[in-house]
Amino acid sequence: MKKFVLIVTIIMLAFTTCGNDPEENVNGFYGNPGTYEIVSYDGKSNVIKVNGAKTEWEVVKYSLLEYKGKEIAIIFSADVRREGAAGDLSWHVNNEGTYPTISYLPNAGADVWHHMTGKLIVTPANDNPSIFLSTWENNTKNTVYYIANPSITIEVDSINPALTPLQSVYKDNFLIGNIINETYMTGRHFERLKHHYNVVTPENDMKPSLLAPSKKGGAYQWAAADAMVEKMLANGMQVQGHVLVWHFQTPGWMIDGTKEEAEANLKNHINTVLKHFKGKINSWDVVNEAMRDNLSPADTEGNWRNCVRSNQSDWEAPWFDKIGPEYIELAFLAAREADPDVTLYYNDYGLDNPNKAKAVRNMIADINERYINEKGGTRKLIEGIGMQGHYNRWLNVENVRCTLELFKTLGIEIAITELDISFSNTGVQGNRNDTVMSENDEIEQAKLYAKLFKLFREYSDVIVRVSMWGIDDASSWLSAGNPCLFDWRLNAKKAFYAISDPDGFLEEYKE
Ligand code: XIL
């Protein structure tokens, strides 16, 4: 028995000495025992000096044990310096086999301080979760690391309590939508989606390249889109179909080959997809972004076919190149035939530009007129126009009004299909780490949202749906422009409150 106690004590002692020793730490950061000391260096005190040659791949760490199982928002910064050799500096969360990155600096120079920052939402799941500076190169480089001013702020449950659902704010006006993607299928994103929105558009999973990536074997990949449709319908949301015919995210096999083959592929694809989702999706974006940019008023006076995006005007227009402008009408005819119960939409961006708007209007008017002349009756072929609404800080809301007036004359429904207002100065897409917005930008952005929704309300006799393209800034396809209603922690931004009460907001921030 005594022997047993002794062995247990030795094992426990071994664990204490080999384990983490947070006793000696700087703001909670510590190294592996025997590999680090706390020193004054280069005019800075309380610097962790790590002898990298001795350490494992976790150079220093910060324990997240107390947050295990809780969703947290981490805000991190530190000054880091490598002595001796340049190389990567990267901070991660150690989270049960996955190592999400907080901050990454590739090939950081030697012998200078690097100020590193990062933000991340994570739910630590590991037995001993931590944030750590990683290395895998010590055997070759013997690097010495210095870490000064390490700082971590952790917010637990930083998410707002339930806000008034946007869908109830606009229940008498139009549907309110957002996108669905893999990230939004669960957790806080899904909660937000279900709370605020009553219609979703799959961000990517119904696009031709995702449904039909390869002709070999002819197999369509339905699993991801099906899972979305089932879950959304089960949760009382409608699903908008997006998209059947586009120049982008379309597999080469559909358009390779002769004109006749391309036409057959186009019809088959539309038929296959509409039949597959029959009864589940009320309206589809049939053709996306067919009209070109930079049209002059003179361009729009003639035949709309001369305004269609082509290999002359754009770097990529495969359907046009193979079939000519008739691919548009062909697609709508095939869609009507495949499922007459579906409302067919033409969808495009940049329609606040009066010339582009006019070209689109001319096209729809012509196609619809000829269709009715030929078929008789009153049912139009193109029954909806989607204005994407990827706007930016230079948006003139009055241009949107002019376009709404113009489109009203078509006698078809209008949807705002992909709304976001990007405040990036560079136009770059960015990634989830660059999510900083000045207060002034947040106010200016919110004003634009307020003005737009005021306008949409005025036109709610023709606008049937307003859908956003992303819930929060970090997950948006344009994250560098922070274009969404929620910030990277899923907190409501000024833009959210602006939409909740446009008049009140514009009154409060009167120019
Ligand atoms: C975007 C998605 O958001 C991205 O994830 C993808 O990489 C590219 O496509 N117009 C459209 C949408 O009709 O399908 C696009 O979505 C954004 C522009």
Side-chain angles (χ1 to χ4, degrees):
M1 188 62 187
K2 258 193 184 153
K3 216 172 164 188
F4 177 72
V5 172
L6 192 70
I7 290 169
V8 170
T9 319
I10 289 169
I11 291 174
M12 281 176 65
L13 267 175
F15 264 111
T16 339
T17 32
C18 298
N20 306 324
D21 181 14
E23 293 297 306
E24 281 281 323
N25 69 67
V26 179
N27 301 338
F29 288 77
Y30 53 92
N32 295 306
T35 68
Y36 76 107
E37 53 186 318
I38 295 170
V39 299
S40 290
Y41 182 70
D42 193 34
K44 299 179 196 285
S45 55
N46 264 333
V47 176
I48 307 177
K49 176 183 181 185
V50 183
N51 181 344
K54 288 192 195 167
T55 191
E56 302 293 313
W57 65 305
E58 296 185 332
V59 177
V60 292
K61 51 193 154 188
Y62 178 101
S63 175
L64 294 175
L65 193 53
E66 66 179 289
Y67 303 108
K68 191 179 163 188
K70 293 180 192 155
E71 187 177 72
I72 52 172
I74 301 169
I75 302 167
F76 159 83
S77 71
D79 297 314
V80 191
R81 179 174 173 130
R82 303 169 52 102
E83 218 70 357
D88 293 353
L89 289 173
S90 63
W91 293 83
H92 304 268
V93 170
N94 184 346
N95 199 26
E96 196 82 34
T98 66
Y99 302 93
T101 305
I102 295 188
S103 186
Y104 175 53
L105 196 60
N107 205 25
D111 308 330
V112 283
W113 291 104
H114 300 281
H115 185 61
M116 299 183 74
T117 60
K119 301 168 172 177
L120 189 72
I121 292 184
V122 71
T123 306
N126 207 340
D127 274 348
N128 199 1
S130 65
I131 292 167
F132 67 98
L133 170 64
S134 93
T135 182
W136 40 264
E137 64 191 20
N138 296 310
N139 296 339
T140 52
K141 291 200 178 169
N142 292 341
T143 315
V144 171
Y145 299 87
Y146 292 94
I147 294 101
N149 307 316
S151 150
I152 287 213
T153 309
I154 291 184
E155 294 178 11
V156 186
D157 202 17
S158 64
I159 319 298
N160 299 139
L163 299 161
T164 306
L166 289 177
Q167 55 173 313
S168 50
V169 175
Y170 289 94
K171 67 180 187 319
D172 297 330
N173 305 118
F174 30 70
L175 295 170
I176 288 278
N178 212 312
I179 49 174
I180 178 72
N181 54 36
E182 207 191 327
T183 310
Y184 292 1
M185 285 284 278
T186 53
R188 287 253 158 78
H189 281 103
F190 179 68
E191 282 170 27
R192 288 287 163 286
L193 199 62
K194 193 177 162 175
H195 186 68
H196 290 293
Y197 306 99
N198 42 28
V199 51
V200 296
T201 308
E203 181 178 18
N204 288 303
D205 288 281
M206 288 182 178
K207 289 172 179 171
S209 61
L210 280 100
L211 286 183
S214 148
K215 199 184 183 181
K216 281 187 209 115
Y220 271 63
Q221 316 279 314
W222 303 112
D226 280 353
M228 286 174 184
V229 172
E230 294 313 321
K231 179 155 184 172
M232 298 303 116
L233 294 181
N235 282 278
M237 286 175 262
Q238 298 182 31
V239 182
Q240 166 70 24
H242 177 81
V243 52
L244 296 169
V245 181
W246 193 18
H247 59 268
F248 188 52
Q249 289 180 291
T250 297
W253 71 261
M254 269 189 199
I255 310 157
D256 293 345
T258 64
K259 178 176 188 233
E260 288 67 34
E261 281 164 346
E263 285 178 3
N265 288 340
L266 180 123
K267 285 187 201 163
N268 280 339
H269 176 68
I270 292 172
N271 191 46
T272 307
V273 176
L274 287 199
K275 293 258 159 60
H276 180 85
F277 292 108
K278 184 154 177 59
K280 297 179 175 164
I281 292 180
N282 303 329
S283 66
W284 267 94
D285 296 333
V286 178
V287 176
N288 199 25
E289 303 182 352
M291 219 46 91
R292 68 181 151 96
D293 297 305
N294 305 320
L295 291 163
S296 70
D299 290 333
T300 67
E301 292 305 324
N303 191 328
W304 60 265
R305 289 173 181 79
N306 299 329
C307 301
V308 174
R309 177 191 285 263
S310 72
N311 54 354
Q312 303 298 310
S313 66
D314 289 272
W315 55 278
E316 211 181 35
W319 290 113
F320 179 95
D321 296 348
K322 199 49 69 77
I323 303 177
E326 301 315 319
Y327 84 88
I328 300 170
E329 197 167 340
L330 214 80
F332 279 99
L333 288 169
R336 174 58 48 80
E337 199 179 320
D339 186 356
D341 295 333
V342 158
T343 305
L344 307 179
Y345 266 74
Y346 175 78
N347 193 47
D348 213 331
Y349 67 90
L351 298 178
D352 51 321
N353 176 300
N355 299 328
K356 194 168 178 183
K358 193 169 164 206
V360 166
R361 189 208 160 270
N362 290 349
M363 174 188 76
I364 295 179
D366 176 51
I367 290 179
N368 280 348
E369 199 181 305
R370 281 186 294 105
Y371 182 79
I372 284 178
N373 284 344
E374 206 176 289
K375 304 269 169 190
T378 55
R379 181 152 189 209
K380 298 181 169 84
L381 182 59
I382 304 177
E383 291 177 305
I385 169 121
M387 299 170 64
Q388 289 185 5
H390 294 295
Y391 298 128
N392 57 38
R393 63 166 83 232
W394 298 283
L395 170 70
N396 178 345
V397 176
E398 284 311 298
N399 287 346
V400 181
R401 177 190 294 281
C402 293
T403 298
L404 287 170
E405 274 302 311
L406 184 73
F407 287 168
K408 243 182 122 155
T409 63
L410 285 166
I412 62 176
E413 62 186 53
I414 300 174
I416 312 301
T417 53
E418 305 181 13
L419 182 59
D420 51 21
I421 308 183
S422 185
F423 267 59
S424 161
N425 292 322
T426 57
V428 295
Q429 299 208 346
N431 60 61
R432 55 171 304 143
N433 287 326
D434 40 29
T435 50
V436 183
M437 197 171 199
S438 71
E439 198 185 342
N440 191 50
D441 274 1
E442 214 188 302
I443 292 170
E444 290 308 312
Q445 180 189 51
K447 279 190 200 163
L448 285 176
Y449 270 114
K451 287 177 189 166
L452 275 177
F453 272 77
K454 232 179 117 129
L455 179 70
F456 296 157
R457 252 198 185 133
E458 269 185 61
Y459 284 82
S460 55
D461 53 335
V462 279
I463 294 180
V464 296
R465 168 170 68 94
V466 179
S467 289
M468 326 270 165
W469 207 252
I471 295 178
D472 60 293
D473 291 339
S475 68
S476 158
W477 74 308
L478 300 176
S479 66
N482 297 298
C484 297
L485 307 185
F486 295 88
D487 71 11
W488 69 283
R489 300 196 307 263
L490 291 176
N491 280 327
K493 290 162 62 183
K494 291 215 161 40
F496 176 89
Y497 296 101
I499 290 184
S500 302
D501 175 16
D503 289 315
F505 189 88
L506 290 171
E507 182 58 32
E508 191 181 338
Y509 288 94
K510 232 179 357 216
E511 274 133 36

